[in-house]
Amino acid sequence: MELVVARIGRAHGIKGEVTVEVRTDEPELRLGPGAVLRTEPASAGPLTVETGRVHSGRLLLRFAGVKDRNAAEALRNTLLIADVDPSELPEDPDEFYDHQLIDLDVVLADGTVIGRITEISHLPSQDLFIVEREDGSEVMVPFVEEIVTEIDLENQRAVIDPPPGLVDDRAEIASPRDAAGDEG
């Protein structure tokens, strides 16, 4: 099974290093020296990680055969793809691979079905479940502990406790005046 583990960003320096946007919770495993990664587009690879280091909070990689800035810049926006055994699980029991979450039923604690996860959107601040409802509409559910209370892979479901207004129209609107009280 294929797993996108990173996207190559801009060249860094003149010796062939590139910045990467990491898309895996296990970069040391997937992007370590010696890792051979397929690419999208396929014509850019496969690429073998030669070295890796963190600089100013960003992961920098150098690939075998990429020796200068021009060669590094030519790889910009290339996706790096690793082969993963579908039965493999992350080390942390509270982490999941996207393929484990896609197609899970999304339900409330009382069993009310909200829909089915069709996509995971990885944003800088958090991940979102894109949930397709039975009527074909979509709802975005932040993948945070406060909302997603349980991932039950055995029963193929994600249990959520959404705030008012997230999956229905029960939004509660608080007025600043209500919070201040009745001050004269």
Side-chain angles (χ1 to χ4, degrees):
M1 172 171 168
E2 297 179 343
L3 180 68
V4 174
V5 293
R7 183 182 65 81
I8 297 176
R10 59 183 172 77
H12 180 83
I14 60 172
K15 296 183 180 178
E17 282 185 311
V18 295
T19 62
V20 292
E21 174 189 312
V22 177
R23 295 189 181 176
T24 176
D25 289 335
E26 302 169 312
E28 62 287 340
L29 173 67
R30 308 276 182 228
L31 300 169
V36 178
L37 303 163
R38 288 199 320 285
T39 60
E40 178 62 43
S43 60
L47 294 172
T48 302
V49 177
E50 201 169 80
T51 64
R53 66 186 177 103
V54 176
H55 176 71
S56 298
R58 292 204 53 99
L59 180 61
L60 302 178
L61 296 179
R62 181 177 297 131
F63 299 102
V66 178
K67 299 298 180 195
D68 61 29
R69 184 176 185 86
N70 290 339
E73 192 61 38
L75 295 173
R76 192 175 198 156
N77 293 320
T78 298
L79 296 178
L80 299 175
I81 302 166
D83 282 319
V84 178
D85 179 345
S87 64
E88 180 182 329
L89 299 175
E91 288 181 18
D92 184 338
D94 291 330
E95 292 180 3
F96 302 92
Y97 294 130
D98 287 4
H99 72 269
Q100 295 174 290
L101 301 172
I102 299 292
D103 288 331
L104 291 184
D105 290 325
V106 177
V107 299
L108 300 177
D110 68 6
T112 302
V113 175
I114 301 301
R116 184 178 52 85
I117 299 172
T118 57
E119 183 182 339
I120 313 292
S121 181
H122 299 282
L123 303 176
S125 59
Q126 67 190 14
D127 295 334
L128 289 176
F129 290 160
I130 309 301
V131 178
E132 185 176 311
R133 302 180 79 129
E134 291 180 0
D135 66 5
S137 65
E138 289 183 338
V139 63
M140 292 182 269
V141 177
F143 187 20
V144 294
E145 274 184 67
E146 296 79 19
I147 296 174
V148 180
T149 59
E150 179 186 1
I151 298 291
D152 182 354
L153 295 178
E154 188 174 317
N155 292 308
Q156 290 291 291
R157 66 187 199 140
V159 180
I160 65 170
D161 182 15
L166 184 68
V167 297
D168 58 22
D169 49 11
R170 295 181 297 128
E172 297 172 10
I173 298 172
S175 160
R177 267 182 287 163
D178 295 340
D182 290 326
E183 297 176 20

